[in-house]
Amino acid sequence: MLTGACFAQQDAQYTQYMYNTININPAYAGSRGAMSIFGLYRTQWVGLDGAPKTAAFSLNTPINESRLGVGLTFVNDEIGPTTENIISADVSYYVQTSDDWRLSFGVKGTLNLFALDANKLNASPNGGGPADPSLINYNKSAPNIGAGVYWHSDNTYFGFSVPNFIQTKNKYNDNVKTIEVERINYYFIAGHVFDLGPNLKFKPALLSKLVQGAPLQVDVSGNFLIVDRLVLGAAYRWDAAVSAMAGFQITDGLYLGYGYDLETTRLRNYNSGSHEIFLRYELFNNYNKIISPRFF
């Protein structure tokens, strides 16, 4: 006889978003001057039944010596009884605004494949699965489009993006209330690399995300790059979590990273934290080889 409403994050969450920028901003495609192949797996709130699990794979590259970049992203996001597969294609174009700065514009085309497995719902009083006949398996696909801008030099960057312009409603049929609304997410990112010595660099970074129905999310982080190989850092997600990050540049093209989140809310009493691991491999072009691996 009582009803209520609750709101939560929708887009997959990443602690080490600074290495996975193509996922939220299409203007990033090709900006590193190399073909970049990226794979990530995140398991959130370990020990909590139905907690999010996210796998992401992306590839982005500049097109020869042109001003164009392209990218392709695949994300598999599982939360409780729902699974969402997201396939995105990105195209970017940059303008040289000065000797040191480039301004990139990007567009993103996306196909969202949403699925609800009713067999994972426990609506029966005996715990035997869904007894309510209205709880059925549900699948829906929906296209979307997004855009972004990315302004950067060799040591500083700013970005603003909206990955999805279209609000998609997922519901069983016209007579059943909507079970999910894919709302518009607004992202702003910024970062700067300070050269503290011949073998030490420091990069503070910021990500803020705004979406209707949820508080403003702000992530601040700081990473140290030691002898162009070892990365150590920490992050804070406003009113949510603190994180530790580490990474190692195995070769000039191969980078391995790991992040661990510890909740600062009461949710910490019900899980043992979140883990995130990723691998990035880059193929450098002879005409634009990066001598020292860039920090973003």
Side-chain angles (χ1 to χ4, degrees):
M1 297 174 64
L2 300 175
T3 64
C6 61
F7 303 92
Q9 72 190 54
Q10 289 186 309
D11 285 1
Q13 182 170 270
Y14 305 100
T15 297
Q16 300 176 107
Y17 61 87
M18 63 287 292
Y19 302 104
N20 192 30
T21 306
I22 187 67
N23 191 65
I24 60 173
N25 193 333
Y28 187 79
S31 66
R32 288 183 57 82
M35 178 181 286
S36 184
I37 304 169
F38 181 91
L40 174 145
Y41 182 74
R42 176 181 177 87
T43 176
Q44 190 163 316
W45 303 329
V46 173
L48 186 65
D49 189 27
K53 293 180 175 62
T54 306
F57 172 83
S58 68
L59 183 151
N60 76 92
T61 182
I63 302 299
N64 297 325
E65 298 184 59
S66 72
R67 295 174 180 265
L68 291 170
V70 294
L72 182 66
T73 303
F74 174 77
V75 177
N76 173 264
D77 196 28
E78 296 183 8
I79 305 177
T82 67
T83 300
E84 187 171 20
N85 290 307
I86 304 169
I87 305 170
S88 302
D90 308 281
V91 178
S92 70
Y93 180 84
Y94 79 83
V95 176
Q96 196 79 37
T97 57
S98 71
D99 290 341
D100 299 322
W101 289 83
R102 289 181 176 183
L103 179 62
S104 297
F105 304 88
V107 292
K108 177 187 290 286
T110 301
L111 179 64
N112 293 71
L113 305 172
F114 177 86
L116 170 66
D117 186 354
N119 294 319
K120 293 182 179 179
L121 297 172
N122 187 9
S124 169
N126 298 321
D132 188 335
S134 68
L135 296 178
I136 59 175
N137 291 339
Y138 172 80
N139 295 274
K140 182 177 180 179
S141 61
N144 217 313
I145 188 169
V149 293
Y150 184 68
W151 190 41
H152 73 95
S153 66
D154 286 341
N155 55 20
T156 307
Y157 65 89
F158 302 93
F160 177 76
S161 60
V162 181
N164 295 310
F165 282 126
I166 303 171
Q167 291 194 153
T168 303
K169 292 185 178 181
N170 291 318
K171 55 184 179 179
Y172 287 127
N173 54 56
D174 292 337
N175 298 320
V176 178
K177 186 177 179 180
T178 300
I179 59 173
E180 184 199 55
V181 178
E182 197 74 33
R183 300 195 182 276
I184 299 174
N185 289 256
Y186 302 89
Y187 290 90
F188 175 76
I189 58 173
H192 180 76
V193 179
F194 294 93
D195 196 342
L196 303 182
N199 294 312
L200 183 63
K201 295 181 176 66
F202 173 64
K203 185 189 73 174
L206 166 75
L207 177 145
S208 62
K209 182 174 74 171
L210 179 65
V211 58
Q212 180 184 353
L216 174 68
Q217 179 182 311
V218 178
D219 288 30
V220 292
S221 64
N223 281 287
F224 289 93
L225 176 61
I226 305 166
V227 296
D228 286 334
R229 291 292 177 186
L230 178 64
V231 174
L232 297 173
Y236 174 66
R237 184 172 301 119
W238 188 264
D239 280 343
V242 293
S243 308
M245 298 176 287
F248 188 72
Q249 194 77 42
I250 301 171
T251 67
D252 285 347
L254 187 62
Y255 182 82
L256 176 67
Y258 170 77
Y260 174 77
D261 297 354
L262 181 65
E263 291 295 311
T264 58
T265 67
R266 287 181 295 174
L267 192 60
R268 67 178 179 272
N269 298 321
Y270 306 97
N271 72 90
S272 58
S274 305
H275 300 270
E276 188 176 282
I277 188 168
F278 74 87
L279 190 67
R280 182 180 67 193
Y281 181 66
E282 295 183 309
L283 301 172
F284 300 108
N285 298 303
N286 292 330
Y287 65 84
N288 194 23
K289 181 173 173 62
I290 300 174
I291 303 303
S292 177
R294 210 176 75 190
F295 208 0
F296 57 88

